[in-house]
Amino acid sequence: MRDGAVHPGAWWLWALGLGVAATRTTNPLLLALLVAVSAYVVTARRPHAPWSRSYDAFVKLALAVIAVRLVFTVVFGSGVPGTRVLVTLPEVPLPAWAQGIRLGGEVTAEGLAYGLYQAMKLAALLICVGAANALANPSRLLKAVPGALYETGVAVVVALTFAPHLIADVRRLRAARRLRGRPDKGVRGLLQVGLPVLEGALERSVALAAAMDARGYGRTARVPAAVRRTTAALTLGGLLGVCAGTYGVLTAEGGTYGLPVLLAGLAAALAGLWLGGRRSPRTRYRPDRWNARSGLVAASGAAAAALLALAGARDPAALNPGVVPLTAPGLPLWPAAAVLLGLLPALVTPAPDRPASPEEAS
């Protein structure tokens, strides 16, 4: 790890903080600001590595989510009553057991606005995850996983690196086909590119399995049965507490019990992970250190999430604008300032190393 570099877990905490902030609002202006903040940080601090190019794919996936949600809203309706009819589609009569569902009929501006707001929330969450995937080195992230979660961490890291490698393979093969004067678009081009991509993925999987077997992956030390049972009880109870506490924090009904349950669940889960780490003794070569910059990066995302949650409790109408009657949403000032805290990583972290040009390499 280079001196002053950011811990990969800090990037994920920053991105998850922005994602939690996105779940607290349906204001399209705030959601667009969240996406702009994540895009700026990714553009400024994304390293020059194949796995960092997956951000564009997440953006395209987010746009596809918005398009699909709007199509469903047009075809099936949104359940929001509206008076501004944009178009009337032929309506298909449905049986009595399908009460409450319509197919076709009037498409209102209020219903489209509601569908757009909800789709933008999910799209912003996907883009935040894509930002973490583009900024955090997966192999370095695996080194920071506790010993009790090592096997799970390997599976997650392999899954996270699969998409970037797949995108890199598709780009490489499409460029090679263009150089040979062969089509790289359309159904035919997709079919002829897909087989080499799948073949490369299979070869990487076989090589990874051989490397893991050679390094003794999956071997564990012997521990007493009482320790194993205590570890399982603490981990399971802690994870249940985290789930219940998170639900309480994210909903208005559970505001009184959410935070205490979440903290108790985290404490139990951490104790279970510490005990479980005794089954998987591991050493780390040049482990990543959590420095001040990492703390600032993680704190900026957490601050944005906490301030938006507080704003939602004090002024829910500003963060969740209504659509009936349909009015233009406004941009609340101090929630927008809280979102701008997510720009802090672009100011406190070092710029990525510029790749050497062919002239410099020679």
Side-chain angles (χ1 to χ4, degrees):
M1 181 176 176
R2 187 182 60 177
D3 292 339
V6 180
H7 194 283
W11 286 120
W12 271 100
L13 292 176
W14 167 80
L16 291 177
L18 294 185
V20 171
T23 63
R24 305 303 300 178
T25 178
T26 56
N27 189 316
L29 299 180
L30 286 177
L31 292 173
L33 187 60
L34 273 167
V35 172
V37 166
S38 69
Y40 180 80
V41 175
V42 169
T43 303
R45 294 297 180 260
R46 176 169 52 181
H48 302 280
W51 47 264
S52 66
R53 302 171 186 170
S54 60
Y55 184 74
D56 298 340
F58 278 91
V59 173
K60 294 177 181 178
L61 178 61
L63 294 176
V65 166
I66 294 176
V68 171
R69 178 59 189 266
L70 291 179
V71 169
F72 270 73
T73 301
V74 170
V75 176
F76 299 103
S78 61
V80 175
T83 57
R84 302 183 183 183
V85 179
L86 301 178
V87 65
T88 302
L89 301 177
E91 187 169 359
V92 178
L94 298 177
W97 54 265
Q99 187 70 26
I101 303 175
R102 73 169 180 85
L103 189 60
E106 295 181 346
V107 179
T108 63
E110 292 85 352
L112 278 180
Y114 178 79
L116 177 63
Y117 293 173
Q118 297 297 323
M120 287 185 65
K121 178 194 291 189
L122 180 57
L125 183 59
L126 287 173
I127 290 176
C128 291
V129 173
N133 209 22
L135 291 169
N137 190 329
S139 59
R140 286 175 50 202
L141 184 63
L142 178 61
K143 293 167 60 177
V145 173
L149 297 178
Y150 182 65
E151 288 82 2
T152 305
V154 170
V156 172
V157 169
V158 170
L160 290 176
T161 55
F162 178 77
H165 283 298
L166 194 66
I167 294 170
D169 287 347
V170 171
R171 290 179 175 176
R172 176 176 55 83
L173 291 171
R174 291 183 63 186
R177 290 185 63 83
R178 285 195 298 268
L179 290 175
R180 293 179 174 88
R182 297 178 181 178
D184 64 315
K185 297 181 180 179
V187 178
R188 181 181 178 184
L190 180 62
L191 292 177
Q192 294 182 353
V193 168
L195 184 59
V197 169
L198 293 177
E199 182 180 357
L202 181 60
E203 290 179 354
R204 279 196 302 270
S205 301
V206 174
L208 177 62
M212 292 166 65
D213 183 69
R215 289 167 174 80
Y217 172 76
R219 298 176 184 175
T220 58
R222 292 184 178 181
V223 294
V227 175
R228 291 199 303 268
R229 288 192 291 267
T230 304
T231 301
L234 286 174
T235 305
L236 182 59
L239 292 178
L240 290 176
V242 168
C243 292
T246 303
Y247 175 80
V249 169
L250 295 178
T251 57
E253 294 80 3
T256 56
Y257 71 86
L259 186 59
V261 173
L262 177 61
L263 294 177
L266 283 175
L270 290 176
L273 293 178
W274 178 76
L275 286 176
R278 299 172 60 183
R279 297 182 62 245
S280 303
R282 296 167 54 223
T283 58
R284 295 180 177 90
Y285 175 68
R286 299 177 64 184
D288 293 336
R289 303 297 181 185
W290 190 277
N291 51 26
R293 285 175 174 169
S294 302
L296 288 175
V297 169
S300 64
L307 290 176
L308 250 71
L310 180 62
R314 291 189 174 183
D315 190 7
L319 268 65
N320 299 283
V323 295
V324 181
L326 184 61
T327 56
L331 181 63
L333 293 182
W334 74 272
V339 172
L340 292 178
L341 288 175
L343 291 174
L344 187 62
L347 304 176
V348 301
T349 59
D353 295 330
R354 184 175 61 87
S357 62
E359 294 78 7
E360 295 173 345
S362 59

